[in-house]
Amino acid sequence: MELKIAHLYPQNMNIYGDWGNVVTLEKRLEWRGYKIKYEVVEIGDEYDFTQADIVFGGGGQDKGQLIVAEDLQRHRKNINKANKEGVVFLLVCGLYQLFGNKFTTSIGEELPGLGVFDAETVGSEDRMIGNIVLQTSWGELVGFENHSGKTILNSGQSALGRVTKGYGNNGSDGFEGAISNNSFGTYLHGSLLPKNPKFADELIKRALTRRGDLTNLEPLSDSLAVKAANIAKSRP
Ligand code: GLN
């Protein structure tokens, strides 16, 4: 089976090695015999997200977000339809913020979000930076965060997990990230998936299930990934 992985705005939204998430998804699928079709969606491109299997969007500076925010609105209806139809989305930091209802930058510019997550983000004077550890339904996630935006989840909006080390969505309510159907938002750079193989496989399983492939994923040897996660977790 061939799976389609779409990458949202890599030219402007790909800092802190977020590209590594795409490489991990590709490799963990190829190692199990699946074929991958990788597609980039840049500013001005037409794209039907309902025909993708997994969509990835990374982090960026406020400047990069200003550039992509307007273009992202062109896809608002289609991306929300894709989310409702169970397409898997993984959005990190800057694009996580733009998949909420609204992002107000640290100098007060208001950027409209897509409303996939019922949440708002406001830029702040505090920079929340460092290694972060979460407890989630898929076990512990280890990553690196660097954001000034503070995200508040509205009531009823599920979080990805609870922070056991680090700041998370806003440094005060203990929540990190957000989940809507098969769309996952998080502040965890690192990049996230190479050090969190179980979560990478959760995204893959959801994409395969949506395509009617219910076979159990063949286990991979993740000792190196686990070692990397343990070292990252021990860092200040
Ligand atoms: N510019 C946003 C912030 O600082 C997002 C940063 C990022 O993607 N790491 O909150």
Side-chain angles (χ1 to χ4, degrees):
M1 181 190 287
E2 179 180 83
L3 278 98
K4 207 171 276 184
I5 297 180
H7 194 165
L8 262 175
Y9 307 120
Q11 274 171 31
N12 285 289
M13 303 299 284
N14 181 28
I15 49 178
Y16 310 116
D18 288 337
W19 171 271
N21 294 297
V22 173
V23 175
T24 303
L25 291 166
E26 285 183 348
K27 287 292 163 208
R28 296 184 75 85
L29 278 160
E30 284 168 357
W31 290 334
R32 288 150 163 156
Y34 293 95
K35 286 194 174 39
I36 301 296
K37 190 163 190 300
Y38 171 70
E39 297 181 329
V40 169
V41 183
E42 282 295 359
I43 291 176
D45 289 349
E46 290 307 319
Y47 193 80
D48 177 7
F49 290 88
T50 62
Q51 47 79 45
D53 294 293
I54 303 176
V55 180
F56 175 71
Q61 307 296 350
D62 285 13
K63 172 166 68 41
Q65 289 173 283
L66 282 166
I67 293 170
V68 306
E70 190 191 338
D71 189 72
L72 193 57
Q73 286 300 318
R74 291 187 306 118
H75 301 293
R76 184 192 181 91
K77 209 155 146 260
N78 182 253
I79 285 178
N80 276 282
K81 182 166 185 282
N83 175 47
K84 284 190 181 56
E85 291 178 4
V87 171
V88 174
F89 286 78
L90 176 63
L91 305 136
V92 175
C93 205
L95 274 166
Y96 162 37
Q97 296 172 334
L98 291 175
F99 268 58
N101 298 325
K102 184 169 71 170
F103 170 52
T104 309
T105 69
S106 43
I107 56 171
E109 292 145 315
E110 294 224 342
L111 303 181
L114 297 184
V116 170
F117 304 122
D118 186 9
E120 285 85 32
T121 299
V122 181
S124 75
E125 292 312 308
D126 315 321
R127 180 141 288 273
M128 290 156 275
I129 182 168
N131 292 289
I132 176 169
V133 182
L134 308 183
Q135 272 311 327
T136 76
S137 314
W138 302 282
E140 201 170 59
L141 294 187
V142 179
F144 180 83
E145 62 183 324
N146 180 354
H147 55 105
S148 66
K150 294 188 175 182
T151 299
I152 303 287
L153 305 183
N154 294 321
S155 63
Q157 172 54 62
S158 310
L160 172 61
R162 294 202 65 89
V163 178
T164 51
K165 173 179 173 183
Y167 298 94
N169 280 343
N170 49 54
S172 48
D173 66 13
F175 290 122
E176 201 293 325
I179 302 177
S180 166
N181 202 0
N182 287 337
S183 295
F184 295 82
T186 180
Y187 276 111
L188 272 63
H189 297 285
S191 37
L192 174 65
L193 297 182
K195 288 197 288 286
N196 298 283
K198 265 174 75 181
F199 186 58
D201 282 352
E202 176 63 24
L203 301 181
I204 288 170
K205 261 185 276 187
R206 289 179 181 224
L208 290 172
T209 302
R210 180 171 166 266
R211 295 281 296 274
D213 177 343
L214 308 178
T215 48
N216 288 329
L217 286 182
E218 186 194 326
L220 298 171
S221 84
D222 290 326
S223 53
L224 207 54
V226 171
K227 188 159 183 261
N230 289 334
I231 291 172
K233 203 174 123 185
S234 68
R235 286 190 175 144

